[in-house]
Amino acid sequence: MNDNALREQMVNLAQSLFMRGYSSGGSGNLSARLQDGGYLITPTNSSLGSLDPATLSELDKNGNWLSGEKPSKEALMHLAFYQQRADVGGVVHLHSTWLTALSCLPGLDATNCLPPITPYYVMRVGKLPLIRYLRPGHPELADEVGKQASGHNAMLLANHGPVVGGSSLREAVFNAEELEDTARLWFTLRPHGLVTLTDEQVAELHTAFNTKKAS
Ligand SMILES: [Zn+2]
């Protein structure tokens, strides 16, 4: 995909997330890897509902700001993800309601905050590690994301929200949507008890769909 098409796609995907309530106000940021090795990212204090393809922030491969509006203060976190994963083409960070609610619960399993409820959650995300609370934009937050990104497609920032990667921006958005919907299912089912997939069923999915990275 050429850079102009990618800019249009970022605006359209961001608007779609905004319109469906995955992001509100100025929260959330999207990024994508460009053909030259640089990055496109949504500007700071922008609404995902009203982005302009011409003013998206462009960074070089080292994260230096080249053009467009000032990049999101969470850009370092996105870069940390890409630096660990040559196979990742897009990263999405949201403050979506159900995942943010999950990130505030006490007693979470830091190695996996959401059990394997459905096959698509297993295939797209697999496990969701928790990253300890650090303020938005804190340099150590990027370090912590980098440490988890090599083995996971998504992670949950404590008292904040999810960070999700994908092979392309579109795939990253799909992964983020699947993850948010899984959190909503989990909260809905929690009072009733729920059946989760067994270790054998999870292993079968990773083998059948070659999604070992997310295990
Ligand atoms: Zn944030």
Side-chain angles (χ1 to χ4, degrees):
M1 184 180 290
N2 70 41
D3 291 1
N4 284 337
L6 188 59
R7 284 173 180 268
E8 292 285 348
Q9 187 190 51
M10 181 174 284
V11 169
N12 291 335
L13 287 169
Q15 186 175 41
S16 170
L17 286 168
F18 183 85
M19 295 300 287
R20 288 176 297 134
Y22 286 89
S23 157
S24 57
S27 74
N29 30 77
L30 273 59
S31 68
R33 206 190 287 269
L34 293 164
Q35 287 174 325
D36 68 359
Y39 304 95
L40 206 57
I41 187 164
T42 50
T44 190
N45 293 325
S46 60
S47 166
L48 294 193
S50 55
L51 295 172
D52 178 351
T55 58
L56 295 172
S57 313
E58 187 171 340
L59 310 177
D60 69 13
K61 62 181 170 40
N62 298 314
N64 299 307
W65 178 21
L66 294 178
S67 64
E69 292 177 8
K70 188 179 177 186
S72 163
K73 63 179 168 298
E74 290 172 323
L76 281 177
M77 192 168 74
H78 290 246
L79 293 172
F81 209 126
Y82 292 112
Q83 281 159 6
Q84 293 299 320
R85 292 283 296 277
D87 61 319
V88 161
V91 173
V92 175
H93 167 58
L94 298 171
H95 298 172
S96 48
T97 305
W98 295 103
L99 283 164
T100 304
L102 181 69
S103 80
C104 300
L105 285 185
L108 289 171
D109 175 356
T111 66
N112 188 17
C113 304
L114 267 182
I117 301 174
T118 64
Y120 281 91
Y121 165 59
V122 171
M123 289 187 282
R124 288 196 168 275
V125 175
K127 286 186 175 173
L128 182 67
L130 182 72
I131 291 179
R132 68 189 169 95
Y133 177 78
L134 290 156
R135 67 161 170 79
H138 194 294
E140 283 183 35
L141 193 55
D143 294 342
E144 297 291 328
V145 166
K147 281 182 206 163
Q148 293 292 344
S150 59
H152 299 92
N153 284 345
M155 52 221 72
L156 190 62
L157 312 179
N159 297 80
H160 187 165
V163 185
V164 186
S167 57
S168 63
L169 178 59
R170 185 171 173 270
E171 284 298 307
V173 168
F174 284 7
N175 290 348
E177 291 176 350
E178 187 70 36
L179 186 57
E180 172 68 8
D181 293 351
T182 303
R184 183 159 56 112
L185 278 175
W186 187 78
F187 275 105
T188 305
L189 289 166
R190 204 178 174 212
H192 309 288
L194 64 154
V195 176
T196 59
L197 301 184
T198 65
D199 290 348
E200 290 74 23
Q201 288 166 335
V202 168
E204 182 201 11
L205 286 166
H206 288 317
T207 303
F209 297 98
N210 194 26
T211 51
K212 196 158 181 279
K213 169 59 74 185
S215 65

